[in-house]
Amino acid sequence: MTAPPEPQPQIHWFLLGMRGIFSLPAIILMLSFVGFAAFTAEAKIPVDQVMFMTGMVWALPAKVILVGSMLSGAHIATAFLAVTLSSVRMMPMVAALIPEIRTSRTPTWLLLIISHFVAITAWVFAMEKVRDVPRRGRVAFFAGFGVTLTLTNIVLVGLVYGAVSEFPPIVSGCLFFLTPVYFLTSIWISARHRVIYWALGIGLALGYVFAVVAPEYDILLTGVIGGTAAWWGERALRRREAAR
């Protein structure tokens, strides 16, 4: 009778997660951070602050909001509130990912640490890949990818900061725009529920409307109204289907 294979050590799954740095999501995000470096260089923000920002305020949109607040001379409390509201969108991602990777023995402090690395790129990559990883190795796998991606972008921003200031604005803008395009297509492809398609469709339509009508609050209004409308529509449709 053949003996069952020995379980792989945690370092194996951590190193396997690190290999994700060569995936398409990671490469697109790194190109976007080159655009972000150009943005901050043009804004005359010191490179050490940009590198610190890259590691601490991990999600790219939140960093853009922070830099925009700094450039506009907004009060620190206003900038804090804006970045916080932008980052609240990560909570559902954490809530969806943690049950997929934790085990009954995973300590809470470890989950709190790795939740810092949950942003759209890491979330999309993990939700697509962790099902091919044994549950006992999933936390290490995600940590390997998230930590490597964060550190790589910190180093990347520091290396390209001086050079990207010479980029034409159109080049920086195109690099920066890669991330939202990839996010939209990735979420659409990886969606598992009908309501996600509804939310994306309604959000895209309302985003244009609110960008014209209320540009100061366009993202907030689009998220609240679009998400609520998608949830309400999905709920109503399920009731109708159940009543048949």
Side-chain angles (χ1 to χ4, degrees):
M1 186 173 180
T2 304
E6 290 291 328
Q8 296 286 358
Q10 294 297 311
I11 187 63
H12 168 80
W13 301 113
F14 187 89
L15 293 174
L16 189 64
M18 290 180 65
R19 288 171 52 186
I21 195 67
F22 301 107
S23 64
L24 181 62
I27 292 171
I28 290 178
L29 184 64
M30 286 187 284
L31 290 174
S32 299
F33 266 98
V34 174
F36 174 71
F39 176 49
T40 53
E42 185 178 353
K44 308 300 182 185
I45 298 176
V47 64
D48 57 332
Q49 295 184 23
V50 177
M51 294 176 68
F52 179 80
M53 191 187 306
T54 301
M56 294 296 103
V57 188
W58 174 221
L60 187 55
K63 281 189 278 290
V64 175
I65 292 173
L66 178 58
V67 173
S69 299
M70 294 167 64
L71 293 177
S72 66
H75 191 275
I76 187 172
T78 303
F80 174 82
L81 179 61
V83 173
T84 300
L85 290 175
S86 169
S87 300
V88 165
R89 63 196 169 86
M90 303 299 173
M91 292 180 63
M93 296 182 189
V94 175
L97 178 63
I98 293 302
E100 295 286 339
I101 65 175
R102 72 181 305 175
T103 68
S104 58
R105 296 184 177 182
T106 307
T108 302
W109 63 265
L110 180 57
L111 296 175
L112 290 173
I113 291 175
I114 66 171
S115 66
H116 173 71
F117 303 100
V118 177
I120 292 184
T121 299
W123 184 81
V124 169
F125 179 85
M127 294 299 284
E128 290 179 353
K129 302 296 184 181
V130 292
R131 295 192 174 185
D132 298 328
V133 177
R135 181 167 287 275
R136 65 178 300 274
R138 292 180 180 180
V139 170
F141 176 82
F142 177 76
F145 179 70
V147 172
T148 304
L149 188 63
T150 304
L151 293 178
T152 300
N153 281 295
I154 292 173
V155 174
L156 178 66
V157 167
L159 291 176
V160 305
Y161 180 86
V164 294
S165 60
E166 306 299 326
F167 281 8
I170 186 65
V171 174
S172 301
C174 289
L175 289 172
F176 204 66
F177 195 65
L178 280 174
T179 296
V181 170
Y182 173 76
F183 287 169
L184 285 173
T185 55
S186 296
I187 293 174
W188 184 274
I189 293 172
S190 62
R192 300 171 187 168
H193 302 287
R194 182 172 51 193
V195 67
I196 298 178
Y197 299 115
W198 289 28
L200 283 172
I202 296 172
L204 287 172
L206 291 181
Y208 174 78
V209 173
F210 288 126
V212 176
V213 176
E216 301 90 349
Y217 307 101
D218 54 349
I219 296 178
L220 178 62
L221 292 174
T222 298
V224 172
I225 297 176
T228 301
W231 173 82
W232 181 86
E234 172 71 6
R235 184 181 182 189
L237 185 59
R238 285 188 179 183
R239 287 182 174 178
R240 181 178 299 180
E241 292 173 345
R244 290 177 181 175

